[in-house]
Amino acid sequence: MKYSLNAAALAAFASYALAKEMAPDETLAAELFDSGVRHEHIMATKMAYWDGRREQGLFDSSQYKSMSSAVDVVPCVNGIAELVANDPLYTFKCSGLDLYDFQSHNDLGSNGGEGSGSWGWTSPDGREFVAIAQSDGAAFAEISPEGKLIYLGRLPQYSAAQPSLWREIKGYKSYIVIGSEANNHGIQVFDMAKLLDIDPASPVTFNNVDDIAHFNGLPSGRSHTVQTNEEAGYAVASGSQPRTDKCRSGLIFIDLSDMSNLTSPGCAAGDGYVHDAQCLIYRGPDSKYVGEDICYGYNEDTLTIYNVTDKKSPSIISRTSYEGASYTHQGWVLDTQWQEYLVLDDEYDEYDHAGLGEPGYPITYIWDISSLEAPKQTGYYRASRKGIDHNQFINGDFAYQSNYGGGLHILDISSIPSDPTGKGVKEVAYFDIYPEDDDFEGGGQIEFQGTWSHYPYFESGYIMINTIERGAYVVKRSS
């Protein structure tokens, strides 16, 4: 055992030394990424796994017991939050996060369950609302001052589309923007202000004719993810199919200035498929681009940075890969007001046992973007439990990460500007929403299960976590 630990330590050190940016391997990119082979393989792998779980009945969310409103809070005590005494399926490993609510997808109005994306909105008077993506639409709830999910209704998937587990949401002012991998879905835009006067005793099912704005300009109606740039007034549909379309599954821009007439001013096709992105007006050390509209693209095997100021003719500033790149998935800028660093996750390096992800512990890649033309991969953070990273967002000095079966993890990233190697990054809290894999070696399975997304931006401190199998959790940092 002593030898294996030392060997692991040496392997970790060696991989740390190799954690560097590199030029894309164009031959490999053409064969594996640009062709769509890798993405289609990942989606097929997920679908096969999920189909098996459906057959086992694990996606029937009615079997999961929602938390009683009579329970105020389940505190994290000695590393455990015990919702149901002596029941391992309701005993959650944790650190520094308390459980305030759990509601199953069934109790959140879904016939199909199967959670995915999520977002939130705070009303002008401080009320906090969430949109919870499910395979058959999006559920709406208010988070009460006590941290309880109050179900208010739902918006079904677009009427011309079939249910799909892939459903992503982002916010724009009081609106949410919803995309799906279902054919003919397009982009739904819903005003969350419609929730303000709903009586929870009479939840409302909204419709796709009168209650939304709709963009139907996607090639097949599909998108993999959506983004918004609130300051610049537009949304983005990324990963639309097919890759042979003129936009090549890149960034398709949607003008949100007139909700009665959603149109696209153009697309960024230059680097093909974009899995996810963050688009911001640039403020940072690279003086050449101050005030420009910049999109940070997470493009399967590269961090691709675009200048999209001219939506009709966007340009690529840089394309940079990194050692061990298996599927560049998502990321977030540390400070939108001074864009000097970002963190990036790779969804397949753990599954593929590649590069830093070879041991199976989720990797957060740290990038110095002080030069948009020459970003540098300066360091990384390795999680303490095995699993797969999926979506992360930054709020202040903390990164909030949905790591599938590992649950929600909160990292203190305040050290990165002074030490971009990542050695100073520390986990300060976590809540493991998937107890089923706790006894596996390394503390978790390397599988596509558990939490897909979360929303960490409420002033109250409540964080909503959306999960694939069960439903939505509300947690908060322990006082």
Side-chain angles (χ1 to χ4, degrees), residues 36-83:
V37 167
R38 170 53 59 89
H39 187 238
E40 290 169 8
H41 172 73
I42 293 174
M43 289 187 72
T45 298
K46 291 179 179 179
M47 290 172 70
Y49 185 65
W50 293 337
D51 285 346
R53 295 170 72 73
R54 285 189 193 98
E55 291 176 6
Q56 297 173 54
L58 297 175
F59 279 9
D60 177 5
S61 66
S62 64
Q63 68 188 291
Y64 303 113
K65 307 169 192 173
S66 294
M67 186 167 160
S68 169
S69 59
V71 179
D72 292 334
V73 61
V74 180
C76 179
V77 178
N78 297 324
I80 293 293
E82 191 175 46
L83 177 55

Side-chain angles (χ1 to χ4, degrees), residues 4 36 39 51 63 82 120 124 130 132 148 153 205 220 255 291 300 342 393 413 431:
S4 63
H39 187 238
D51 285 346
Q63 68 188 291
E82 191 175 46
V130 289
I132 303 162
K148 303 304 179 185
T205 298
S220 63
D255 184 351
E300 302 191 293
L342 63 75
F393 305 105
I413 55 169
F431 196 92

Side-chain angles (χ1 to χ4, degrees), residues 156-382:
Q157 79 269 12
Y158 193 66
S159 49
Q162 295 297 311
S164 171
L165 202 156
W166 278 278
R167 191 176 309 281
E168 291 289 357
I169 306 175
K170 290 295 186 297
Y172 172 77
K173 299 182 179 179
S174 66
Y175 297 89
I176 54 168
V177 175
I178 306 173
S180 169
E181 275 281 5
N183 287 320
N184 305 314
H185 186 277
I187 301 298
Q188 299 166 302
V189 182
F190 176 82
D191 190 350
M192 296 282 277
K194 293 178 182 289
L195 306 177
L196 288 170
D197 297 323
I198 292 178
D199 180 356
S202 302
V204 175
T205 298
F206 295 94
N207 69 70
N208 282 290
V209 177
D210 305 312
D211 295 322
I212 67 165
H214 186 252
F215 177 73
N216 64 358
L218 302 182
S220 63
R222 294 171 59 184
S223 62
H224 197 75
T225 59
V226 292
Q227 299 79 38
T228 58
N229 185 329
E230 188 166 320
E231 185 174 1
Y234 67 89
V236 180
S238 298
S240 298
Q241 296 289 350
R243 291 177 185 240
T244 53
D245 176 75
K246 65 179 182 179
C247 292
R248 297 181 59 213
S249 302
L251 304 166
I252 298 178
F253 305 110
I254 305 167
D255 184 351
L256 298 178
S257 62
D258 181 0
M259 290 295 175
S260 67
N261 183 31
L262 298 178
T263 59
S264 175
C267 62
D271 192 29
Y273 190 97
V274 179
H275 182 274
D276 211 331
Q278 185 182 17
C279 299
L280 301 163
I281 300 301
Y282 183 74
R283 298 173 177 89
D286 198 336
S287 59
K288 180 178 179 180
Y289 295 99
V290 170
E292 298 289 282
D293 193 349
I294 301 299
C295 289
Y296 301 93
Y298 302 94
N299 289 19
E300 302 191 293
D301 64 332
T302 63
L303 167 64
T304 300
I305 302 177
Y306 302 82
N307 187 334
V308 303
T309 306
D310 181 354
K311 303 295 183 295
K312 290 182 171 59
S313 184
S315 60
I316 294 174
I317 298 172
S318 60
R319 288 177 64 239
T320 314
S321 190
Y322 51 97
E323 293 177 348
S326 294
Y327 200 79
T328 310
H329 182 264
Q330 189 260 356
W332 214 252
V333 170
L334 264 62
D335 184 352
T336 60
Q337 301 306 303
W338 190 253
Q339 297 160 41
E340 187 176 11
Y341 293 95
L342 63 75
V343 288
L344 171 157
D345 55 71
D346 186 308
E347 189 182 23
Y348 214 59
D349 54 350
E350 297 90 12
Y351 200 92
D352 206 31
H353 302 292
L356 293 171
E358 192 278 331
Y361 296 86
I363 299 296
T364 301
Y365 295 87
I366 300 166
W367 288 78
D368 180 337
I369 52 170
S370 56
S371 168
L372 297 184
E373 297 174 1
K376 303 294 183 184
Q377 200 265 296
T378 60
Y380 70 93
Y381 169 81
R382 175 176 280 124

Side-chain angles (χ1 to χ4, degrees), residues 93-106:
K93 291 186 176 181
C94 56
S95 174
L97 284 165
D98 300 325
L99 176 64
Y100 282 80
D101 203 6
F102 163 74
Q103 296 295 311
S104 71
H105 288 304
N106 183 71

Side-chain angles (χ1 to χ4, degrees), residues 112-180:
E114 303 180 10
S116 50
S118 55
W119 206 252
W121 172 65
T122 301
S123 69
D125 60 354
R127 294 167 65 186
E128 297 176 340
F129 298 86
V130 289
I132 303 162
Q134 299 157 331
S135 62
D136 54 351
F140 302 124
E142 182 172 2
I143 298 182
S144 73
E146 296 75 33
K148 303 304 179 185
L149 286 165
I150 303 170
Y151 176 63
L152 299 174
R154 62 188 297 99
L155 176 66
Q157 79 269 12
Y158 193 66
S159 49
Q162 295 297 311
S164 171
L165 202 156
W166 278 278
R167 191 176 309 281
E168 291 289 357
I169 306 175
K170 290 295 186 297
Y172 172 77
K173 299 182 179 179
S174 66
Y175 297 89
I176 54 168
V177 175
I178 306 173
S180 169

